[in-house]
Amino acid sequence: MKTKDLHALPKVRDSASYLYVEHCRIDREAKAIALHDAEGSYQVPCANLTTLMVGPGTSITHAAVQTLADAGTLVLWMGEQGVRFYAQGMGETRAARNLLRQAWLCSHDKLRLRVVRRLYEMRFVETLDENLTLQQIRGKEGIRVREAYQQASRASGVEWAGRAYKRDAWKDADPVNRALSAANSCLYGICHAAIVSAGYSPALGFIHTGKMLSFVYDIADLYKVELTVPLAFQVAGELAGSNTETEIRRRCRDTFYEGKLLQRIIPDIEQALAVADPKTDTIPDFDADEALPGGLWNPEAHTVQGGINWSDDPEGGEQAWS
């Protein structure tokens, strides 16, 4: 287990914390869970924990999972240091507000374009001219990425002939391309974990579209030039052999952990999606009260009140469901 002081947990967003554990046993203790390893036992108050990331070598009891679910804590099954994302349970994000807001922004072209521009703007140090078209911004992004590859090539001494690999012929790619693919896969895993832990959909992308991980690609692209590109060239320059993929995964694990990448992702998502103007845009009140029945879709009014018996009663009025 990496976190011993449970009162000093890193914050994912505001008061929502996460905890990563590995090589331990988890069971229920009173209304909390207890973590047991070779160094002792530690009680974790589930009510203060948004996400529990379960790493390798960990066993967890049925009672502990039930306690976590009752407390609204999301459980994620991960690889070492949270690099790989394997599965998830239902957690704090039973509320649909983040997912519905994401879908709403995706569904309105004007707002979606604002998110797309914001995601591109977050990649640049300089401010982008507001008069640039989307195609012009993509052209600048292409230049930025090519320059990042060339800079990493010069720094590492690794020759760069361009990004190219075939999924069905993995070994035919040069070491730096294999390292880049492996590093980006690790980055996708940790971005995926952060996205689902906050209640967003990995499929509803803004720049990318049409894939199960479109939003994962949107968010991961914020960090590639900073993290995976230089790491991949460095490893390819040092090894250039059969252990390239293994070593890059280890470097990514340590770099993401030491740089506290997981703490950056959710605030960055919030920044990217904060594009609606409360004065000029109609902002639905997404899932504001989890206890209220959900609305019913209607082709004329779009949404009508749920929890109502809409059949005519003898008095000519509406009857609430009991």
Side-chain angles (χ1 to χ4, degrees):
M1 293 183 296
K2 301 302 180 185
T3 301
K4 299 303 183 185
D5 182 4
L6 300 180
H7 297 288
L9 288 173
K11 298 297 183 182
V12 172
R13 183 187 55 170
D14 298 332
S15 62
S17 313
Y18 72 87
L19 174 65
Y20 172 84
V21 298
E22 61 181 28
H23 301 291
C24 68
R25 178 171 56 86
I26 307 173
D27 57 24
R28 180 168 61 187
E29 186 172 304
K31 294 184 179 180
I33 59 170
L35 314 178
H36 310 276
D37 66 4
E39 299 179 20
S41 298
Y42 312 88
Q43 191 178 67
V44 179
C46 303
N48 297 330
L49 190 63
T50 293
T51 306
L52 176 66
M53 303 174 70
V54 180
T58 305
S59 63
I60 184 168
T61 66
H62 182 279
V65 172
Q66 181 182 7
T67 301
L68 290 162
D70 290 342
T73 301
L74 178 70
V75 183
L76 304 177
W77 280 262
M78 315 294 296
E80 274 190 288
Q81 299 292 4
V83 168
R84 295 284 185 174
F85 171 74
Y86 300 124
Q88 70 177 87
M90 179 178 289
E92 188 269 338
T93 51
R94 293 173 185 176
R97 62 179 64 89
N98 283 346
L99 175 57
L100 292 175
R101 181 164 62 98
Q102 179 187 8
W104 178 65
L105 293 170
C106 265
S107 303
H108 293 76
D109 289 346
K110 180 182 70 173
L111 295 173
R112 181 170 185 167
L113 181 58
R114 291 184 197 169
V115 176
V116 169
R117 293 185 68 97
R118 178 72 60 82
L119 284 166
Y120 278 124
E121 288 167 356
M122 290 169 67
R123 305 182 197 183
F124 289 87
V125 176
E126 70 275 15
T127 302
L128 295 180
D129 189 328
E130 61 180 16
N131 295 317
L132 289 175
T133 66
L134 183 55
Q135 287 304 105
Q136 289 171 326
I137 293 175
R138 285 176 173 156
K140 290 179 68 67
E141 169 66 1
I143 294 172
R144 185 184 77 97
V145 173
R146 287 194 296 272
E147 289 179 347
Y149 286 141
Q150 293 298 336
Q151 181 179 352
S153 175
R154 291 190 296 269
S156 63
V158 175
E159 183 179 352
W160 176 243
R163 187 77 171 100
Y165 80 100
K166 296 180 180 179
R167 295 177 62 182
D168 55 353
W170 175 262
K171 292 299 181 181
D172 289 347
D174 57 30
V176 69
N177 268 289
R178 296 202 309 272
L180 280 166
S181 297
N184 288 337
S185 178
C186 295
L187 180 61
Y188 295 149
I190 198 167
C191 289
H192 194 161
I195 287 167
V196 297
S197 72
Y200 296 101
S201 167
L204 292 179
F206 294 85
I207 295 174
H208 297 84
T209 188
K211 294 292 184 179
M212 186 59 198
L213 300 181
S214 291
F215 194 48
V216 174
Y217 303 146
D218 283 355
I219 301 305
D221 280 352
L222 297 174
Y223 313 109
K224 286 181 180 177
V225 165
E226 174 192 351
L227 298 174
T228 59
V229 170
L231 275 177
F233 276 85
Q234 183 180 0
V235 170
E238 293 174 1
L239 297 180
S242 58
N243 293 326
T244 302
E245 295 91 327
T246 300
E247 181 61 22
I248 190 63
R249 284 195 291 267
R250 289 173 180 165
R251 297 282 184 92
C252 284
R253 176 198 65 194
D254 295 341
T255 299
F256 296 165
Y257 181 72
E258 292 167 4
K260 300 181 179 180
L261 175 62
L262 195 56
Q263 294 184 57
R264 297 170 54 186
I265 295 173
I266 294 177
D268 284 345
I269 293 173
E270 289 299 313
Q271 180 183 347
L273 300 187
V275 297
D277 186 339
K279 296 181 179 179
T280 61
D281 297 315
T282 302
I283 305 176
D285 193 12
F286 295 117
D287 200 14
D289 187 341
E290 298 174 26
L292 290 177
L296 306 176
W297 179 80
N298 191 65
E300 289 82 21
H302 300 294
T303 303
V304 295
Q305 185 179 353
I308 297 294
N309 183 350
W310 288 92
S311 61
D312 292 335
D313 66 32
E315 302 297 326
E318 300 165 354
Q319 294 179 341
W321 294 108
S322 59

